[in-house]
Amino acid sequence: MIQIDARGKACPEPVIMTKNALADNPDAVAVRVDNVPAAQNVSRFFESKGYKAVVSGEGKDFTVTGARDGSAPAPESCGCDLVPSARLKNAVFIAHSRIGGDDPQLGEVLMKAFLGTLVQYDENERPSVIALMNEGVTLAEQGTSSAETLRDYVARGGTVLVCGTCLKHFGLMEKVGVGIVSNMFEIVSTLLACNTLSL
């Protein structure tokens, strides 16, 4: 079994180290990480590549073991594999909590209207992924109207990726109301696989 120590590594290094370890299709890889988001990200990556992921540990010391479970590997897609490649058409990348210039109230109103309008599009037109980074992660904070709108988007089949590094920076890791706590590798892979609109 390949052993990887990714403790102390900043996002997205644990996932990239895992990806590199899987290059030769080993039967099993164990990755040590020091936080819950890293454990979740590595687990999802293992599963996207056809490995069964098992997480053990607690506190700040986790081991994520990925082992072939006898089933066929997952088909190759965008590299993040959160959404089937056939569905990856359009994405929206949001790095701000509001749209526009100097008027914060108008900017918040515009962002709410933008998200609400996105949700109303039918499945064939609606973006398959919304990625939130920097101040954009505040839109996923529980108890906000924007999080309610994003929950509606997810209920209609969309995926919301929320930058874990950004959540940690803003002290919102425990206050996420919607979406998948993600990492730079996953977000970049997804956006590169899509036609992306950036706000």
Side-chain angles (χ1 to χ4, degrees), residues 27-162:
D27 289 331
V29 177
V31 183
R32 291 187 72 184
V33 294
D34 56 10
N35 60 80
V36 171
Q40 293 170 341
N41 288 326
V42 170
S43 294
R44 278 198 319 279
F45 188 80
F46 272 135
E47 290 168 358
S48 77
K49 298 302 179 188
Y51 286 75
K52 180 178 180 182
V54 176
V55 180
S56 58
E58 59 184 36
K60 292 189 174 186
D61 193 4
F62 299 91
T63 299
V64 185
T65 304
R68 291 225 179 263
D69 62 2
S71 64
E76 289 294 321
S77 70
C78 68
C80 67
D81 300 295
L82 290 175
V83 183
S85 57
R87 284 201 51 234
L88 281 172
K89 304 174 287 202
N90 297 311
V92 177
F93 174 70
I94 302 175
H96 303 281
S97 58
R98 56 184 187 256
I99 295 175
D102 297 331
D103 189 327
Q105 289 179 326
L106 176 59
E108 288 176 17
V109 168
L110 291 174
M111 182 60 81
K112 288 178 185 178
F114 177 83
L115 292 174
T117 302
L118 265 187
V119 171
Q120 300 308 313
Y121 278 87
D122 68 33
E123 183 179 355
N124 294 325
E125 297 175 314
R126 190 171 49 246
S128 55
V129 177
I130 296 175
L132 305 176
M133 196 172 284
N134 206 324
E135 291 176 6
V137 301
T138 63
L139 298 170
E141 184 178 359
Q142 57 187 240
T144 63
S145 61
S146 55
E148 289 293 328
T149 302
L150 290 171
R151 267 195 290 279
D152 190 12
Y153 167 78
V154 169
R156 295 176 187 224
T159 299
V160 176
L161 302 179
V162 188

Side-chain angles (χ1 to χ4, degrees), residues 2-26:
I2 296 174
Q3 304 276 344
I4 297 172
D5 189 349
R7 291 173 296 175
K9 302 291 185 183
C11 167
E13 195 63 25
V15 173
I16 291 173
M17 292 171 75
T18 304
K19 178 181 183 288
N20 292 340
L22 296 185
D24 293 328
N25 295 312

